[in-house]
Amino acid sequence: MGFAEFPGDAGWRHVDARDGFEAAWFRGESCGGRRIDGTAVAVEDGPSWAVRYRILLGPTGRTLRAEVESRSVGGRLTVVLEADGEGCWLVDGAAAPELDGCLDVDLEASALTNAFPVRRLGLAVGERASAPAAYVRAADATVGRLEQTYLRVEDEAAGPAYDYEAPAFDFACRLRYDASGLALDYPGIAVRVR
């Protein structure tokens, strides 16, 4: 399935798991990739946090770089992830072999980043794929590997839908996307408002 271009901007309201909002802005790069700048601000289990991110996707949709700044009552933390587009990563300049094979970044603070594997994989209805990701936590900017799978199910009225699983969190849901591959409904996490 081919997706439409990203819009100029998008926004999500966080629901259930936390209260907050996320906004993102998209622009094309001369290399044929996309740059995404965004901010998510929320209150979760008491404390508040804010995460600013800048992500560079290559022409094939693979993550090449992510700069993530997290602010909370504990202070400000920044982490920079760099990837070669083939599954090898650096975290703050140091090799991160635990991320080998990951082609996407996934931010705990973001409803946007699940769009990356969905757009990149282009699954047909009935196809399932594993899409491990370099996962960045919201409050402390720690980075780890997140195993996740996507199963493309029948399209719904608004667009494609996928059954998503992240076993480390004992989490599974149906994600609904628009024609550009951005989540419209991420159950328990966020809903698209722009």
Side-chain angles (χ1 to χ4, degrees), residues 8-194:
D9 67 319
W12 294 264
R13 178 173 294 114
H14 296 282
V15 296
D16 298 335
R18 56 188 173 238
D19 292 319
F21 200 81
E22 177 181 6
W25 299 268
F26 306 85
R27 79 167 197 249
E29 292 289 299
S30 59
C31 69
R34 294 284 174 263
R35 180 167 307 280
I36 304 159
D37 292 294
T39 301
V41 179
V43 174
E44 184 173 10
D45 296 328
S48 61
W49 47 255
V51 174
R52 290 181 56 205
Y53 56 85
R54 174 172 280 180
I55 299 169
L56 176 63
L57 302 178
T60 62
R62 295 176 177 188
T63 302
L64 299 178
R65 183 176 175 87
E67 301 166 30
V68 183
E69 178 186 293
S70 174
R71 288 183 174 227
S72 68
V73 70
R76 185 178 87 177
L77 301 165
T78 302
V79 64
V80 177
L81 295 88
E82 298 172 280
D84 65 0
E86 299 301 320
C88 293
W89 293 76
L90 299 175
V91 176
D92 290 332
E98 69 277 11
L99 302 178
D100 282 356
C102 296
L103 301 176
D104 309 293
V105 69
D106 189 335
L107 307 182
E108 178 183 30
S110 177
L112 161 71
T113 53
N114 284 80
F116 303 158
V118 165
R119 289 176 57 93
R120 180 178 56 73
L121 290 166
L123 299 176
V125 172
E127 285 186 311
R128 176 189 304 270
S130 175
Y135 185 72
V136 183
R137 292 213 173 255
D140 61 9
T142 56
V143 180
R145 182 186 189 93
L146 178 64
E147 298 295 336
Q148 49 189 3
T149 60
Y150 294 85
L151 169 65
R152 174 83 185 276
V153 297
E154 290 292 329
D155 289 358
E156 297 186 359
Y162 295 77
D163 285 345
Y164 169 76
E165 293 181 28
F169 299 120
D170 194 27
F171 183 80
C173 70
R174 177 154 296 168
L175 298 173
R176 293 164 177 86
Y177 293 86
D178 70 3
S180 65
L182 294 177
L184 294 170
D185 182 20
Y186 195 143
I189 307 291
V191 293
R192 179 97 171 270
V193 294
R194 166 91 178 111

